[in-house]
Amino acid sequence: MVTDDSKVLLHRFNWQRLWTISPGKCITSICWSPDGKIVALGTEDGFVLLHDVENGKMLRSIKSHDVAIICLNWAEDEPLSRTDKEDLLSYEDRTTRFFPPAPVMPRIGGLNSGDTGLADENEEAIQAFSSASCQRFNILCTGDKDGCICFSIFGIFPIGKININKVPIHVQSSGKRTSYRLQDVSISKVSLSRNLHQLVLLCSGKLINTDNLSLSNDLSVGVHCLHLDTSIFSNRKNELHQVSQQASSIQDLVEVVRASISMMSKQWSNAMNLFHEKFSALPSLLTAHGMESSSEDEFMSLLFGTHTSPALHQFLVSSLGEAGLKRIAKTIESAGRELRIVVSEHLQSKLFHSDLQN
């Protein structure tokens, strides 16, 4: 369930609550993945949020639309018959040859799952979610209030977008073909068939006769049902499946790099904040002594062994002191050590191995 204040609650059938989350965004639509392991949320600002059903952790945050997502539909390809399997052209999945398993995601203390594209404490769920090769082919359809529909394989790899306002509609009646188009469309419902051949959608908007604009009137404003041919998804699902696998592997590596850089930035920022806090008194001391030099100039003079100014001497002896200097040195050394660990354990070894394989 989604409440008025956009909290998401998951209950069992006996009404036992499993978890409650507050994504921090206005939720406008919701649906299940075909296997029931993921809940997809559409937001008012056009994001699709994918959450693990087991614990509510966010697996992905994807910007799919520019406006509110009104409806979601997650369709899975139907199982093939024995005859269809024999006629189907098989392909070799070469993903593992080019992309090794993604490095371990670093723990990012102090960050909520909503702050990052991937959750920082759910590595097993992320790996299972990303291993597209073990999933049946499925497509997530999302429709927004401006008439756009987006399609994503496994909910994460975008493969197409349709603007219903620009789709020509041809109607054959009494041997005469008339062309229409819809204006000011807002998508209400979308449904992709099990064989992926057809998309049925309900939308509101004004039907315009493009052959004779004078025939269009207010009566043409209402709810319309459209059937679109999406057989390209079924005809090209092998190629789409393979590309999505490779794209997922690339995205996992990019997410590890992003999370690692975020952690490194946080560690170094904490050290620099302490440094600036302790040295903030020096500029005022320089001004009080009538000196026009900067803090950097004073320390450069100290490093090169030249004369130490009275202001710097007072700062080192009275304001900073030996204990403060040791604390700063310990903090910076600790930050440097953490940075080395992130680079060596989460980036360098795995990514260098990936370069060698490529």
Side-chain angles (χ1 to χ4, degrees):
M1 297 187 300
V2 179
T3 63
D4 284 341
D5 55 353
S6 288
K7 290 182 180 178
V8 184
L9 300 86
L10 184 69
H11 294 81
R12 296 189 187 277
F13 284 119
N14 62 5
W15 214 241
Q16 174 192 0
R17 183 180 297 183
L18 295 181
W19 47 256
T20 302
I21 59 173
S22 298
K25 297 176 180 290
C26 181
I27 306 301
T28 52
S29 53
I30 186 170
C31 80
W32 295 87
S33 65
D35 60 7
K37 295 180 179 179
I38 298 171
V39 171
L41 307 174
T43 70
E44 190 174 37
D45 54 356
F47 279 86
V48 175
L49 312 178
L50 304 181
H51 287 263
D52 190 338
V53 169
E54 291 296 324
N55 49 32
K57 289 288 185 179
M58 187 173 71
L59 302 173
R60 299 282 190 193
S61 174
I62 305 161
K63 177 70 171 176
S64 300
H65 298 260
D66 296 324
V67 294
I69 299 175
I70 303 300
C71 54
L72 299 169
N73 173 247
W74 206 329
E76 186 174 66
D77 186 28
E78 60 185 359
L80 294 176
S81 64
R82 179 176 298 179
T83 305
D84 291 334
K85 287 182 180 179
E86 292 174 354
D87 295 338
L88 193 64
L89 179 64
S90 61
Y91 68 94
E92 177 193 2
D93 176 20
R94 297 175 294 170
T95 305
T96 55
R97 288 174 50 190
F98 294 99
F99 299 107
V104 177
M105 184 71 66
R107 304 289 184 182
I108 310 177
L111 292 181
N112 298 321
S113 61
D115 296 328
T116 60
L118 288 175
D120 58 326
E121 296 179 346
N122 207 24
E123 292 169 7
E124 292 183 2
I126 292 169
Q127 291 172 0
F129 178 64
S130 300
S131 59
S133 58
C134 63
Q135 299 186 47
R136 290 237 317 262
F137 186 74
N138 60 70
I139 296 178
L140 174 63
C141 308
T142 58
D144 68 31
K145 68 175 186 178
D146 280 354
C148 290
I149 302 174
C150 294
F151 305 91
S152 301
I153 299 177
F154 306 120
I156 58 175
F157 180 62
I159 56 170
K161 183 175 184 178
I162 300 175
N163 186 342
I164 301 301
N165 293 283
K166 299 180 179 180
V167 174
I169 303 171
H170 305 295
V171 178
Q172 195 78 21
S173 178
S174 301
K176 182 181 178 182
R177 181 183 180 185
T178 307
S179 297
Y180 298 89
R181 67 178 176 85
L182 285 168
Q183 192 177 69
D184 302 326
V185 178
S186 179
I187 307 297
S188 302
K189 292 289 182 181
V190 291
S191 179
L192 192 61
S193 62
R194 286 291 305 274
N195 59 11
L196 309 180
H197 280 220
Q198 190 177 67
L199 178 72
V200 181
L201 65 97
L202 286 176
C203 63
S204 59
K206 183 177 182 180
L207 192 64
I208 305 295
N209 187 330
T210 55
D211 293 335
N212 190 344
L213 295 178
S214 62
L215 295 179
S216 300
N217 52 54
D218 292 338
L219 296 178
S220 60
V221 177
V223 177
H224 307 276
C225 180
L226 301 183
H227 295 243
L228 303 182
D229 181 6
T230 57
S231 56
I232 188 174
F233 294 151
S234 178
N235 297 338
R236 297 296 182 184
K237 67 180 178 182
N238 275 357
E239 296 92 326
L240 292 172
H241 196 162
Q242 187 173 17
V243 170
S244 66
Q245 285 179 279
Q246 296 170 353
S248 178
S249 299
I250 294 173
Q251 190 172 22
D252 286 342
L253 292 173
V254 170
E255 287 293 344
V256 170
V257 173
R258 184 207 53 75
S260 299
I261 293 175
S262 296
M263 183 176 183
M264 293 167 68
S265 175
K266 184 173 182 289
Q267 293 284 352
W268 189 248
S269 177
N270 291 341
M272 289 298 99
N273 287 339
L274 177 62
F275 180 87
H276 291 304
E277 175 188 340
K278 292 297 183 181
F279 281 80
S280 60
L282 181 56
S284 58
L285 285 175
L286 293 174
T287 304
H289 283 78
M291 302 179 64
E292 297 181 356
S293 58
S294 65
S295 302
E296 291 80 3
D297 294 335
E298 290 296 318
F299 278 105
M300 287 298 292
S301 298
L302 180 63
L303 289 174
F304 285 116
T306 57
H307 177 68
T308 303
S309 68
L312 181 58
H313 183 270
Q314 179 182 346
F315 171 76
L316 292 175
V317 174
S318 304
S319 302
L320 183 61
E322 183 178 357
L325 189 61
K326 286 183 178 179
R327 183 185 174 191
I328 292 175
K330 183 178 179 181
T331 301
I332 294 179
E333 182 183 358
S334 175
R337 184 167 57 251
E338 291 292 336
L339 297 185
R340 287 194 297 272
I341 291 175
V342 171
V343 172
S344 61
E345 294 186 3
H346 304 292
L347 292 178
Q348 190 176 39
S349 60
K350 292 289 186 180
L351 297 185
F352 179 70
H353 176 60
S354 177
D355 286 339
L356 288 180
Q357 285 196 333
N358 285 322

